[in-house]
């Protein structure tokens, strides 16, 4: 089983009695870890975006359930207390399906091992963490195969080690491609309003010695028009049964621009990101964050005529995606071929 502590960039570290979370809001200027010993703290870490990225949120939630069990077991009502904590964790971020996938796994383990839950939950949470790292390495190789001799890619938000158990989804593909020697330029959108590209992606790539070029989100169309980029490579927070992809706001506009300019779009995500219960992206609940994240102080008064709309994600139709890469394999042209073949892998 892979050891997450062997990684150069670690968003999450399990100490045996607490979860150490890299506060990603402070990067790149400050590298600081917060330690959480209960599920309430982990819930707040997810909601406040100290930890972000669908796979990392799921892993953190698994450890949150473990911490809840460690806190409450073996009190008479410990199972009710843990279930209450699971419900709080589930409410922390509504769009990332990995969160609910991980909570369901932990809930099943609780039901099966209620007589001695701590050891079973510890083993499962650590396996969820290690399996994600292994999956990232696998999809990194699959994605690099598809990129072939592509010279330049553009990525959006942060889908790297910081957003996962380690190595990354989109950045895992980029890491693997860079190791093969073909990839010469990696462009990263700033990704407003939280600037995950500017604060996280270029910093993370630099930690691995991979040069990166930061661009304003609004420069993406001109970058594609110039012919300087071959692929868009992004992650995902939820993928529906028809291959529609929910990802960080701005992904849909990149896909539309890519269609116009003949640039291909790759989505890299673990199988746990798929939600086959939803027929299409029309059914995905899109999280909206506080308008205050966008507004200047002078617009926050009650009588202000200026408000803000702050969706965190958008949905890219499968028809605009060239390839979806998972640890189970690859789907080419999901708009035509669907993604059901992954269920039988």
């Amino acid at each position: 089983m892979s050891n997450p502590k062997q990684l150069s960039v670690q968003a999450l570290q399990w100490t045996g009695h607490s979860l150490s979370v890299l506060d990603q809001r402070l990067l790149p200027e400050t590298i600081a870890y917060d330690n959480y010993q209960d599920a309430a703290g982990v819930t707040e870490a997810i909601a406040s975006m100290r930890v972000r990225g669908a796979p990392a949120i799921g892993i953190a939630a698994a450890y949150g359930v473990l911490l809840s069990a460690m806190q409450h077991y073996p009190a008479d009502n410990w199972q009710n207390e843990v279930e209450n904590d699971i419900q709080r964790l589930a409410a922390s971020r509504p769009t990332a399906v990995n969160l609910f996938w991980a909570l369901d796994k932990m809930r099943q383990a609780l039901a099966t091992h209620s007589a001695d839950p701590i050891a079973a939950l510890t083993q499962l949470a650590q396996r969820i963490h290690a399996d994600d790292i292994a999956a990232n390495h696998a999809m990194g190789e699959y994605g690099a195969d598809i990129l072939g001799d592509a010279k330049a890619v553009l990525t959006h938000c942060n889908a790297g080690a910081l957003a996962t158990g380690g190595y990354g989804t989109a950045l895992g593909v980029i890491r693997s491609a860079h190791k093969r020697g073909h990839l010469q330029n990696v462009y990263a959108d700033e990704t407003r309003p939280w600037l995950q590209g500017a604060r996280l992606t270029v910093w993370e790539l630099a930690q691995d010695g991979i040069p990166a070029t930061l661009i304003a989100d609004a420069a993406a169309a001109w970058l594609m028009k110039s012919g300087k980029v071959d692929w868009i490579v992004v992650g995902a927070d939820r993928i529906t049964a028809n291959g529609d992809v929910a990802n960080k706001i701005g992904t849909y506009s990149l896909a539309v621009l890519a269609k116009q300019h003949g640039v291909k779009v790759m989505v890299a995500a673990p199988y746990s990101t798929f939600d086959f219960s939803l027929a299409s992206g029309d059914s995905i609940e899109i999280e909206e964050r506080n308008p205050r994240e966008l507004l200047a102080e002078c617009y926050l008064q009650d009588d202000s005529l200026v408000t803000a709309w702050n969706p965190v994600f958008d949905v890219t139709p499968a028809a605009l995606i060239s390839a979806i890469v998972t640890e189970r394999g690859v789907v080419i042209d999901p708009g035509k071929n669907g993604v059901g073949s992954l269920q039988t892998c």
Side-chain angles (χ1 to χ4, degrees), residues 24-36:
Q24 298 188 32
R25 304 171 307 173
L26 305 179
L27 290 172
E29 288 84 4
T30 303
I31 300 173
Y33 283 84
D34 299 316
N35 289 308
Y36 298 95

Side-chain angles (χ1 to χ4, degrees), residues 132-210:
D132 185 71
I133 297 170
N136 290 344
H137 280 276
M139 72 182 76
E141 294 304 308
Y142 285 136
D145 288 343
I146 295 173
L147 290 182
D149 59 358
K151 298 297 189 293
V153 300
L154 169 65
T155 191
H156 186 67
C157 194
N158 173 267
L162 291 171
T164 64
Y167 199 67
T169 54
L171 292 196
V173 171
I174 290 170
R175 283 185 166 96
S176 293
H178 184 265
K179 289 176 183 177
R180 299 185 186 190
H182 297 296
L183 199 58
Q184 297 176 357
N185 293 305
V186 179
Y187 294 92
D189 276 340
E190 285 180 304
T191 318
R192 293 185 175 274
W194 274 72
L195 298 174
Q196 291 96 328
R199 293 187 301 104
L200 308 180
T201 293
V202 294
W203 175 84
E204 181 178 327
L205 290 170
Q207 304 310 299
D208 271 9
I210 301 175

Side-chain angles (χ1 to χ4, degrees), residues 199-235:
R199 293 187 301 104
L200 308 180
T201 293
V202 294
W203 175 84
E204 181 178 327
L205 290 170
Q207 304 310 299
D208 271 9
I210 301 175
T213 300
L214 185 66
I215 65 170
D217 292 5
W222 194 242
L223 179 72
M224 295 183 214
K225 172 70 172 176
S226 72
K228 292 181 179 179
V229 62
D230 305 303
W231 281 84
I232 311 295
V233 184
V234 297

Side-chain angles (χ1 to χ4, degrees), residues 325-339:
V325 177
T326 79
E327 74 276 24
R328 293 191 173 196
V330 177
V331 173
I332 302 296
D333 291 332
K336 297 178 181 178
N337 301 320
V339 295

